[in-house]
Amino acid sequence: MDLLPCVHIIEDDDAVRDSLQMMLESIGQKTKAFANADSFLSIYNQEMAGCIVLDIRMPGMNGMELQRQLNELNSILPIIFVTGHGDVPMAVEAMQQGAIDFVQKPYREQELLDKIATAMALDEDNRASLQQRQLIMQRMNDLTPRERDVMQLMVEGKANKVIAIDLEISQRTVEIHRARVMEKLNANSLAHLVRMFMAVEGQLSSNPE
């Protein structure tokens, strides 16, 4: 499957959909266009990158219903809603559910292009952060239970002597575990270790093993 960053256009109006696709492709932006929400969902994959430009009113599943489905699938694709004048309250509600922006029809091309550029940059940042957290989790999973105990106390700022007392082990053993923690996590300082720990703390609590 082609997973390069892409603007996914979901719009039931053929003329609007084709016009938007041509505009984006004229500036070199990769696009994929869909006439309805179901056709997009049928090929959706969590690894998809880019953003979604989504019409809020469509026959069948509307834009907000698709947004709810994607939220249930843990999608991180940023969504920009395209709305009619009377749809602004719906668009505000959609943003409360995680959409990043909306644009009203008829929209200025540059306004929409700017919003799309912002969404694409956000998706890139989100995916880089996610990959970094996954890498940190992989490294933390390589720690032994005792090394995890030591790491927990390290990030709490406790000195080796205190860690030794808390865990009822020798200070020399603490030093050995501490060095292994830093090596396995590729941490170059205690501050670096603390930042990594904070980045995945929620995942650690839900994955105690």
Side-chain angles (χ1 to χ4, degrees):
M1 180 181 291
D2 186 358
L3 299 176
L4 292 174
C6 173
V7 178
H8 303 87
I9 304 164
I10 308 172
E11 165 68 66
D12 66 295
D13 186 310
D14 294 345
V16 174
R17 185 177 66 250
D18 293 345
S19 173
L20 178 53
Q21 188 169 23
M22 288 177 61
M23 177 182 70
L24 288 166
E25 291 182 349
S26 73
I27 61 172
Q29 177 60 61
K30 180 178 174 60
T31 67
K32 290 182 181 177
F34 305 86
N36 55 64
D38 287 324
S39 60
F40 174 75
L41 272 179
S42 69
I43 59 91
Y44 170 74
N45 184 291
Q46 280 193 340
E47 299 304 314
M48 285 180 172
C51 72
I52 299 173
V53 177
L54 177 58
D55 191 9
I56 206 163
R57 286 192 184 274
M58 294 182 291
M61 184 186 299
N62 67 33
M64 293 188 67
E65 290 169 338
L66 175 59
Q67 181 190 30
R68 284 192 287 269
Q69 290 259 18
L70 291 172
N71 285 344
E72 290 175 3
L73 294 170
N74 298 316
S75 170
I76 63 171
L77 283 171
I79 296 176
I80 300 168
F81 274 103
V82 177
T83 74
H85 178 70
D87 298 329
V88 172
M90 292 175 63
V92 172
E93 181 183 347
M95 291 184 68
Q96 292 172 344
Q97 298 300 317
I100 68 161
D101 215 332
F102 69 93
V103 60
Q104 291 188 62
K105 298 177 182 177
Y107 50 77
R108 292 186 299 107
E109 289 186 355
Q110 191 58 52
E111 178 189 10
L112 181 56
L113 289 174
D114 289 345
K115 292 179 186 296
I116 289 173
T118 298
M120 297 292 279
L122 174 63
D123 183 66
E124 184 177 2
D125 289 346
N126 287 344
R127 290 181 188 281
S129 177
L130 182 61
Q131 289 174 353
Q132 181 66 16
R133 289 197 299 272
Q134 289 172 337
L135 176 60
I136 294 170
M137 281 301 301
Q138 289 171 3
R139 290 174 177 171
M140 287 193 175
N141 286 338
D142 288 336
L143 298 177
T144 66
R146 179 58 82 192
E147 287 166 353
R148 283 195 176 208
D149 292 340
V150 170
M151 176 187 68
Q152 177 71 50
L153 297 174
M154 287 171 65
V155 300
E156 291 176 8
K158 294 189 176 182
N160 288 353
K161 182 177 180 180
V162 177
I163 295 174
I165 294 170
D166 286 353
L167 298 180
E168 299 181 345
I169 56 179
S170 72
Q171 190 167 331
R172 176 58 183 157
T173 300
V174 171
E175 292 170 357
I176 293 171
H177 286 316
R178 188 180 184 117
R180 287 176 178 167
V181 167
M182 299 294 283
E183 180 182 358
K184 287 183 177 181
L185 295 182
N186 199 24
N188 51 39
S189 68
L190 179 58
H192 188 197
L193 175 67
V194 171
R195 286 199 300 271
M196 286 192 289
F197 181 86
M198 291 176 64
V200 298
E201 189 173 7
Q203 290 170 272
L204 286 173
S205 62
S206 61
N207 294 280
E209 296 301 323

